[in-house]
Amino acid sequence: MISVIVPMFNSARYLAETLEAILAQTRPADEIIAVDDGSTDDSAAIADRYAPDVRVLRVDHAGTAATRQRGYQAAHGGLIACCDADDVWLPAKLERQADVLAEHPDVDAVGCRVDEFLSPDADPSAMPGRGIRLNHPAPLASALLIRRTFLALVDGYRITEVGVGEYVKWYAEALSAGLRTTILDEVLLRRRLHENNSSRSFADESDDYLRIIQDHIERQRRASA
């Protein structure tokens, strides 16, 4: 069973496209949970239009990490995927990733390559730090399909420090806890770039993931020495 969690906060502009892409998967999700993080726009009302295919939870504003955690706690699936409310999955994403996990019981999570695109409503001059990346193997929240058994070991999406860059921190903690992951060599996610992306800056993001992987390799090297 696959559960999809969609954390959303003032996401009305992009949410319908995100939900349509999730509903169009060649391997349909068994449940889709949209968690509204105290939005002041029409996000929850838009998600409500997709009932009963989408279940909407309304929570007080607490940030993306807490919103993902609330979705995880409400989900029933043995496989969990998150999709940020401004991203777009390609149709075969869940099918391809579920196949890998079925074939490789030693793998905890499967990612994919990512194409970024500049949202038509975005101002390019407001996008800090770098250009658009294509065919990029980034372990983003929207890119992973992960086993619930692993999430149970790390208390879901809870992290020890919250704020900007919270998913980078969660991924670092997951690697330290022994996350075994692989990345499919195909683009299955389109990541929307706009002025309100939650990363603290696009230039910093790549450096953060590189530092996390390097630190993880160094810890493994020391442990085996």
Side-chain angles (χ1 to χ4, degrees):
M1 180 177 181
I2 298 178
S3 298
V4 175
I5 302 163
V6 183
M8 55 190 191
F9 175 68
N10 290 347
S11 306
R13 183 176 296 177
Y14 312 122
L15 180 60
E17 185 176 359
T18 296
L19 293 177
E20 294 283 355
I22 294 171
L23 290 166
Q25 291 293 296
T26 56
R27 194 299 187 190
D30 297 283
E31 65 175 353
I32 303 168
I33 304 171
V35 188
D36 184 64
D37 186 27
S39 294
T40 57
D41 67 1
D42 293 333
S43 296
I46 291 170
D48 279 335
R49 297 173 193 164
Y50 291 88
D53 297 312
V54 176
R55 175 158 57 107
V56 181
L57 301 181
R58 292 167 169 82
V59 298
D60 293 334
H61 183 60
T64 307
T67 305
R68 285 196 189 101
Q69 180 70 0
R70 183 65 185 87
Y72 160 70
Q73 292 169 336
H76 298 93
L79 302 178
I80 308 289
C82 286
C83 187
D84 289 345
D86 51 1
D87 288 338
V88 181
W89 285 352
L90 272 65
K93 179 184 183 294
L94 291 182
E95 180 179 6
R96 294 283 292 113
Q97 292 180 321
D99 285 347
V100 171
L101 291 176
E103 294 168 7
H104 299 279
D106 58 323
V107 173
D108 299 311
V110 182
C112 63
R113 289 182 172 267
V114 181
D115 274 353
E116 296 176 335
F117 69 101
L118 185 65
S119 191
D121 59 322
D123 177 5
S125 66
M127 312 304 291
R130 64 163 171 81
I132 293 172
R133 296 177 299 195
L134 301 176
N135 199 20
H136 179 64
L140 303 170
S142 295
L144 287 183
L145 180 65
I146 188 166
R147 296 187 194 275
R148 188 184 189 93
T149 50
F150 178 82
L151 287 173
L153 292 175
V154 296
D155 196 16
Y157 293 96
R158 195 183 306 279
I159 58 175
T160 56
E161 181 181 354
V162 297
V164 177
E166 50 79 24
Y167 184 74
V168 175
K169 297 181 181 75
W170 179 87
Y171 191 71
E173 293 177 11
L175 286 176
S176 296
L179 178 69
R180 298 165 299 181
T181 185
T182 188
I183 297 179
L184 287 169
D185 192 25
E186 60 184 293
V187 173
L188 295 170
L189 167 67
R190 299 183 70 232
R191 184 192 185 199
R192 184 188 304 271
L193 302 185
H194 55 92
E195 292 93 330
N196 297 319
N197 287 104
S198 60
S199 338
R200 52 171 190 279
S201 86
F202 299 117
D204 290 342
E205 182 187 73
S206 291
D207 292 339
D208 282 345
Y209 281 115
L210 179 60
R211 173 181 50 78
I212 287 167
I213 293 169
Q214 289 172 335
D215 289 348
H216 176 62
I217 292 172
E218 178 61 22
R219 283 194 299 271
Q220 287 184 319
R221 186 192 65 78
R222 290 197 301 266
S224 61

